[in-house]
Amino acid sequence: SGEMYRVASSGEKIEIKGVPEVLYEGQGGLFDILLHPDFENNQQVYISYAIFKKEGDEIMASTAVTRAKFEDDQLTDSRIIFEATPYFTTRHHYGGRMVFGTDGKLYITVGDRGKRDENPQALDRYQGKIHRINDDGSIPEDNPFVDQEGAVASIFSYGHRNPQGMTVHPETGVIWEHEHGPRGGDEINVPEEGKNYGWPVISYGINYNGTTFTDMVAMDGMEQPTHYWVPSLGPSGMAFITGEHYPQWTGDLLVGSLKYRFITRLSLDDQEVVEEESLLKKVGRVRSIEMGPYGYIYVGVEGNPGFVARLIPKPNQ
């Protein structure tokens, strides 16, 4: 709903002032919080959220990113540096995940906003894309469509449905993302610049009512997912396991499940999933997974109240 807190080591919650107003309806609200790689020196914070405006009698919404300075438990010098146009009346498929790549660029996911036949394949629209911008919101000169007339210059890859997880491989520096399919066809992708990931022309899923919208799972010029799930698990949150605390899992990929309320651990051989295991079954709707600065896994779970858990291995295991 737009509240933000700093949690002290004592457990005290200190509310952060100056958070931009969000549209807290449907799947909209405050999405992601990201610190600048040089936060220790510049105190820059990035916030993705459902932005809104009124047009006539309608409240229109979109995905936006604001950059602000964090000082004295306040956000100051706030500026919108990314705004996905056009706005829509729909209240779902916002995306809103952010990561900084090893190239220093900010990557942002934007879902198709429930307009699958209009947005994901259209290069003149922001929706259904992964975007790449500089840390100040300007456009990198080497973006794949920066010189294409009519194309949105921030687009990095397109043909995505609703990416709810994104992370950087700790060794290769490559961006990984996952996204919701419809009924079936949730995907993990390793997006490459300028590539088309197919939605909704190709898909391993069907409509929620059991009908089909495409009979194709592959097409020339469209990329195959690295991994996909049928039935859907509702993926959200994504992190590679690093550090010394989980030696048997080092290099594995963790993905949260909203639908089945667990974490799935994926063992990889390069970019191929060779084993999958369910962890923390029935823990709740897993929204976020992060590797903390001291090498522990943190899991954010929705609920009333929601909570954050730290996973501590048993001794000698």
Side-chain angles (χ1 to χ4, degrees):
S1 54
E3 290 82 13
M4 186 187 300
Y5 299 91
R6 176 174 64 85
V7 182
S9 57
S10 64
E12 179 188 6
K13 290 198 308 182
I14 300 97
E15 185 170 3
I16 306 302
K17 305 296 184 182
V19 179
E21 187 178 4
V22 309
L23 182 64
Y24 182 43
E25 293 180 6
Q27 296 174 2
L30 178 61
F31 298 139
D32 212 356
I33 303 168
L34 185 66
L35 305 184
H36 191 282
D38 195 29
F39 174 80
E40 185 175 353
N41 293 313
N42 64 24
Q43 302 294 294
Q44 296 290 341
V45 178
Y46 297 79
I47 304 162
S48 61
Y49 58 100
I51 194 172
F52 64 97
K53 63 183 178 181
K54 190 171 184 178
E55 292 187 0
D57 295 330
E58 299 282 3
I59 301 296
M60 312 292 286
S62 188
T63 306
V65 175
T66 282
R67 185 182 72 167
K69 187 174 183 180
F70 177 79
E71 52 186 354
D72 298 326
D73 293 325
Q74 295 188 55
L75 299 179
T76 62
D77 300 328
S78 295
R79 183 171 70 88
I80 296 172
I81 64 167
F82 177 85
E83 184 179 8
T85 56
Y87 283 46
F88 294 97
T89 57
T90 51
R91 300 291 188 259
H92 58 289
H93 294 188
Y94 288 93
R97 288 293 185 184
M98 301 181 291
V99 296
F100 271 101
T102 56
D103 56 3
K105 309 304 181 185
L106 178 61
Y107 292 77
I108 306 159
T109 73
V110 179
D112 69 2
R113 299 304 318 288
K115 305 287 185 179
R116 71 183 183 197
D117 297 322
E118 302 171 28
N119 290 332
Q121 295 294 319
L123 293 178
D124 62 346
R125 292 193 171 191
Y126 284 77
Q127 292 76 17
K129 316 295 193 301
I130 295 175
H131 297 265
R132 177 178 183 259
I133 62 175
N134 292 319
D135 64 355
D136 62 356
S138 61
I139 303 299
E141 295 180 356
D142 57 348
N143 271 8
F145 301 106
V146 71
D147 294 323
Q148 182 168 322
E149 184 176 357
V152 174
S154 60
I155 293 174
F156 181 75
S157 61
Y158 64 107
H160 299 286
R161 186 173 183 264
N162 188 27
Q164 288 286 297
M166 188 162 55
T167 191
V168 180
H169 194 287
E171 294 182 358
T172 65
V174 171
I175 303 286
W176 288 53
E177 64 89 22
H178 66 57
E179 57 195 82
H180 288 219
R183 183 173 160 186
D186 293 354
E187 296 180 355
I188 293 177
N189 292 296
V190 183
E192 298 181 41
E193 60 178 336
K195 296 292 182 68
N196 181 354
Y197 289 82
W199 176 254
V201 181
I202 60 174
S203 176
Y204 289 91
I206 59 176
N207 288 317
Y208 291 112
N209 64 7
T211 61
T212 59
F213 58 90
T214 180
D215 59 359
M216 294 181 290
V217 296
M219 178 179 284
D220 288 345
M222 296 184 178
E223 305 303 308
Q224 283 292 295
T226 297
H227 185 68
Y228 67 91
W229 291 275
V230 176
S232 294
L233 54 77
S236 188
M238 191 179 199
F240 284 100
I241 300 175
T242 58
E244 302 176 351
H245 297 305
Y246 319 93
Q248 295 180 336
W249 293 351
T250 299
D252 291 354
L253 183 64
L254 297 178
V255 172
S257 170
L258 296 167
K259 181 178 180 180
Y260 293 115
R261 300 170 181 256
F262 59 52
I263 292 175
T264 185
R265 179 182 63 85
L266 306 171
S267 296
L268 305 173
D269 181 2
D270 192 20
Q271 295 183 4
E272 180 184 358
V273 175
V274 295
E275 181 185 359
E276 188 166 358
E277 178 188 14
S278 299
L279 308 172
L280 301 183
K281 295 180 181 179
K282 298 183 180 179
V283 69
R285 285 169 56 87
V286 177
R287 178 59 69 181
S288 300
I289 305 174
E290 300 286 348
M291 290 301 306
Y294 302 108
Y296 287 104
I297 299 166
Y298 290 82
V299 181
V301 180
E302 293 182 7
N304 189 18
F307 62 90
V308 175
R310 181 175 65 177
L311 306 190
I312 302 175
K314 293 181 179 179
N316 303 319
Q317 292 190 7

